[in-house]
Structure formats: C-alpha cells, structure tokens
Amino acid sequence: MTTITSPHAGHGDHGGHHDHDVSYLHPKGGIWTTIWDWASTIDHKKIGVMYLVAILFMFFLGGMAAIAVRLELMEPTREVTVAGKNVVTGQLLAFGQSLQKGNENYNRMFTLHGAIMVFMVIVPSVPASLGNFLLPLMLGAKDVAFPRLNLLSWYVYVLGSIFAVAAIIMGGVDTGWTFYTPYSTTTDVEGNMAYWRIVSMILAAFILGFSSIFTGLNFVVTVHKLRAPGMGWFDMPLFVWGIYGAAIIQVLATPVIGITLLLLIFERLFRIGIFDPAMGGDPVLFQHFFWFYSHPVVYVMILPGMAIINEIIAVYSRKRIFGYRAVAFSTLAIAAISFIVWGHHLFTSEGEVAAVVFSAITFLVAIPSAIKVFNWIATLYKGSIRLTTPMLYALGFLFLFTIGGLTGLPLGTLSVDLHLHDSYFVVAHFHYVMMGSTIIAFIGGIHHWWPKMFGRMYNEFFAKIGFWLVFIGFNVTFFPQFMMGAHGMPRRYASYTDEFLIYHQISTIGSWVLLVGFLVHLFVFIHSLLAGRLAPPNPCGGLTLEWTDAASPPIEHNFHHEPVVNHGPYDYDDVFPKQADPKEFPMPAPLPAGARAH
C-alpha cells in the first residue's frame, strides 16, 4: 500500500505562484472583502469550514430542543385538586396554556429535535465538513472535482436550513421527524400559518436532499479522477473509503426521499390521494418510500464516522491497520446491503413472509460492521497507544457502537420487536448508533484534525475533561432508556406512570452532564482559536498526505508541488512521519538478524 509524500514539501514554489503560498485562512483585505471572499469561495477547505460552523450551530439548536424534551419528562404530568380547582403539574411546555396545548408543544419540540439532528446535523456532519476539507488533501488534489458545484451544495444546505427555521418560527410541526402519513397530511390544516409550516419543514428536507446529492456526486468523481499519480484504490487512506461508500449511498438513495417528499407536498396541498386511504391512497407506501432512503442514510451517517475511527486508531496506536482490504471491502458491503434492509422498520405493518426475509437480511448487515470492530481491536493490540482526546473518543466509539449494534439484534428479531416496537428501547438504540457513534466520532475527528484545519493546538487537559463529561453524560442519559423500553414505556409521550419516574429523572440529569461536556469543548475550541499555540505541520505523526505534505493550516492550493507516492498510509513500523519531531515519534528498534516479526 502506498500513500503520498513529496520530496519538495516545505520549500517555496519556484513556479511563480507565490500568491498561493499563504494559509487559506489568510485574509484577502478588509472585513467586507474577506466576507465576500468566503461567500464566493470555491476552495474546498473554506467550504468545509463553513459547513462545520453551520452544522455545529444547527447541532446547538437541536440540542436545546432535546434539553427541553428532557426537562418536560423530568416529572409526569399530573392533574391535582388545589383549593377546589384542578391544577396541572409537571408540564413545562404548556406555558400557562391548556393540557392539550402542552402536549402539542411537546410533540413539536421532539419533532424539531429529530428533524434538525437527522437532516441538518448527522447526515451532512462528517462528509460535508471534514470530508470536504480532507478528501482532496488525502488524495493529493488541489480541490474537489467540481468546485463550483461544491459551493452550490453549501448554499442549497443554507436554503434548506432557512425553510426549516421558518417552520420553527411559524410554530413548529408535530408530525415526528419521519413525517409519517396521515399525521403529516391531516394535522394543522386550520389557519394559513399552521397549514404552511408543515409544508415548509417538508420542503426543507427536500431541498437538503439536493445538497446531499451534489456533495456525494462530487466526492465519487473526485475519488475516481483526482487521485495522485501512483495512488491505486488500495493505496487510499481508509477515511477516503468511508467517505466514498457514503457518497455512493447519497447519490443513489437520496432521490427516493426527494420524490417521496415532493409527493407528500402535493398530497397536502392538492389532496390527490397518494397516501390518504380515504381517497384510495396507502399510508404504508409512504413508509416503504421513506425507509428505502432512510435506512441507507443511516450508513451515510455511520460510515464516515467509522472512517474517522480508522485514522485515529492507526495514528495513536502507531500501528498498521489490521486487515486493510477487509475494512475497505466491508465499507462497500455495508453500502450495498443497506439498500435491502429497509423493511425491518415495518415489521408491524407488512406481511409475515416479508418480515421474515427482512429480519434475516438485518442480521446479515451486522457482519461487515463486526469485521470493522474486530479489525480495530486487532489494530490496538500491542500498539503504542497514546490516550489523546481523539483516541479517547475512538475508544468511546468502540464501546458505544458495540452497545448500539448488539441492541439492534433484538429489534431485528420478529417476536421481540413486537414488544419493543415504538418503545424507549428503540430511542436508546437509535441514539447509541447515531449520536453515540457518529457524533462521538465526529467530535473525535474535529479534535484530531483541528490543528491541521486552523493551525492552533487546543488544551488537551480540558479537552479530556470534556470527553469524560460527554461520555458519562451520554450513558447516563440513554442507558436507562433501554430498561424503560423493555418495561413497556412508549416513546413520544409527554407523560408516563410513576413506574418510570426514576428512569426519566436519571436520563434528564444525564442530559445536563452531556450539555456541560459540549460546552467545555466549545470553550476549548474558542480558546484554541484565540490563544492556542501554533501547531506544527504534523503534531500527531500521521503518514497520510494531509499530515506529511501540507502545512498547518494548508496553503490555498494545498501543496507547493504535486506529491509523489512512495510509502503506505499506515506503515508506522518502517516509515518515519515527515514534518514530525523525531523525538516525538521514534521508530521501533530493528529486529535481530534472522528474527521474525509476530
């Protein structure tokens, strides 16, 4: 396997392109000139940073909605008699209104949380931000294949987010983030404002789909056409493989949800009877269409997270990835199988034969995921492990993803799923797979590549405190929900019986710890930008191109000269990392003559 290095890295470009030898963050003039430069840029690095800022902002909005939901569930809603009057207690989201209004506000709040987190945070998180920034750097390219399409995808993302925020301002929607019919076609039909806010939210998801397609198409072509000379398919960093697998799913699956949401908009506006049984439609048809996209998109979320873990574990254990080709092929296997398992979301609304078939395929998709986990653990074995903040997040990912994967097995078992369906067990499983894996990997990836992206080091001590708060807070928040669901607590309810009181209270307290952890990370990043020490080109001793040949932060056109391929991306046993301090990353001692490595 080979990766890219350049014998000329670090030297000035003598070809007359000195204008491009400054950092991509270097201002182009005054504040307005700089703003226009960023707004009109086709530099993949700037677009990746803009995506990162926007995604983190939407993450904050979705997180605040989640905190509101947990505050509401801190106590059950009770109607008690005080001085001869009936008084409702334990309901925060009623805001002095009726009990029914409080329940409606709760529905809007968890719908807002789900829609923002799925469509505006988790799906674009790694590909649009870190993927945009790192993919050309890792491939030895100056930019993505279609730079202007890349900029367009950013503006389409912003446009879709504006429609979502407009729906929030108009009062929000209470359909659930899946927009299931008949909820999405029959609720809020009175009044212009109420009528249009659901259309606005559905239109937001429709528009965001185009951003996803543009990004995926760009990445597929970039990987195929812009690899550095000498870089074959099995010479690429595994991060590229993960982004590539996710991009294929984005291109093939996203049009399905686009057409489905467009049909839903027509159904709501013109009552044409596609999904409404009163007019000959079929609401289950919407579920099939929705999950044919939404289950593959689960792997758009998780494959890039897995891609980050590949890089972090290899770098901070100073070891060659165990089973490189197995990891690469398992990425493609997950992408392929993801298209044929959507029916396991419909066990309670499909025929028996279909349910058995989809149950079997559900267990099949666990195999390539298990291959990855095995290879990560084998890579860690006897490695020179450094417990940096990114490595802590990688180890946390292994723990949380394993729980998320194993708890998916009972949900794929027909008899057990009938009991657990629509319970808090599903909520906990989904969050362990999506937030406990994708978001955890995303945060670990931000820490890993932060010095490369912004040229500043962060405070490792406080970053580790932030990790432990996030890790403990996450488990305290969601692990009790497995027990709640197993005991029959249904999801999406604003109240509950006293049997579940202690679980909800523990879960709510955990959400506060989780929030504090994220705020600590925010402080660490802001402090780094304002007062962090300058980062060396290769502080982690990586062997992939962004570490060995690019400055921290990279110059505008990424490299001074076209890179040259001469060693592998994970050859830590026999290659010293360029641009790194020899004292920081000593090479292993050579074996005695005639000895064999084990």
Side-chain angles (χ1 to χ4, degrees), residues 93 100-115 164 167-168 170-190 193-202 268 492-493:
L93 296 177
Q100 178 183 351
K101 201 66 177 177
N103 291 336
E104 291 176 0
N105 290 338
Y106 173 82
N107 290 345
R108 291 190 177 96
M109 197 60 67
F110 79 69
T111 299
L112 172 65
H113 166 68
I168 297 169
M170 287 188 284
V173 299
D174 61 355
T175 62
W177 72 271
T178 58
F179 309 120
Y180 267 11
T181 56
Y183 303 127
S184 54
T185 56
T186 59
T187 57
D188 286 335
V189 294
E190 79 293 340
M193 188 71 73
Y195 186 80
W196 284 104
R197 61 193 178 202
I198 290 182
V199 174
S200 180
M201 184 61 83
I202 297 172
R268 185 168 178 84
R492 297 172 176 162
Y493 277 69

Side-chain angles (χ1 to χ4, degrees), residues 59-95:
F59 181 65
F60 171 77
L61 291 183
M64 288 299 98
I67 292 295
V69 167
R70 290 309 326 162
L71 286 173
E72 174 65 49
L73 294 172
M74 185 69 170
E75 292 184 34
T77 303
R78 305 177 191 273
E79 193 168 17
V80 298
T81 302
V82 178
K85 295 182 179 180
N86 291 333
V87 178
V88 176
T89 63
Q91 190 174 61
L92 300 178
L93 296 177
F95 302 115

Side-chain angles (χ1 to χ4, degrees), residues 481-566:
Q481 296 180 11
F482 284 123
M483 292 177 276
M484 272 195 283
H487 285 86
M489 172 70 202
R491 59 177 175 171
R492 297 172 176 162
Y493 277 69
S495 189
Y496 49 88
T497 61
D498 289 340
E499 174 188 359
F500 304 107
L501 176 61
I502 185 63
Y503 298 118
H504 277 292
Q505 289 182 336
I506 293 173
S507 189
T508 299
I509 293 171
S511 70
W512 299 342
V513 178
L514 188 60
L515 174 62
V516 172
F518 285 130
L519 292 177
V520 169
H521 282 314
L522 179 62
F523 164 78
V524 168
F525 290 143
I526 293 175
H527 177 268
S528 170
L529 293 176
L530 297 178
R533 64 182 177 87
L534 293 177
N538 193 357
C540 68
L543 291 180
T544 47
L545 178 102
E546 79 279 13
W547 296 116
T548 60
D549 282 59
S552 297
I555 61 174
E556 186 172 336
H557 281 181
N558 295 346
F559 310 103
H560 293 285
H561 294 274
E562 185 176 51
V564 177
V565 175
N566 60 18

Side-chain angles (χ1 to χ4, degrees), residues 55 58 115-122 124 157 160-161 164 201 204 208:
I55 289 167
M58 299 309 295
I116 287 180
M117 286 300 195
V118 171
F119 294 111
M120 282 157 267
V121 177
I122 302 180
Y157 174 85
S161 300
M201 184 61 83
L208 289 164

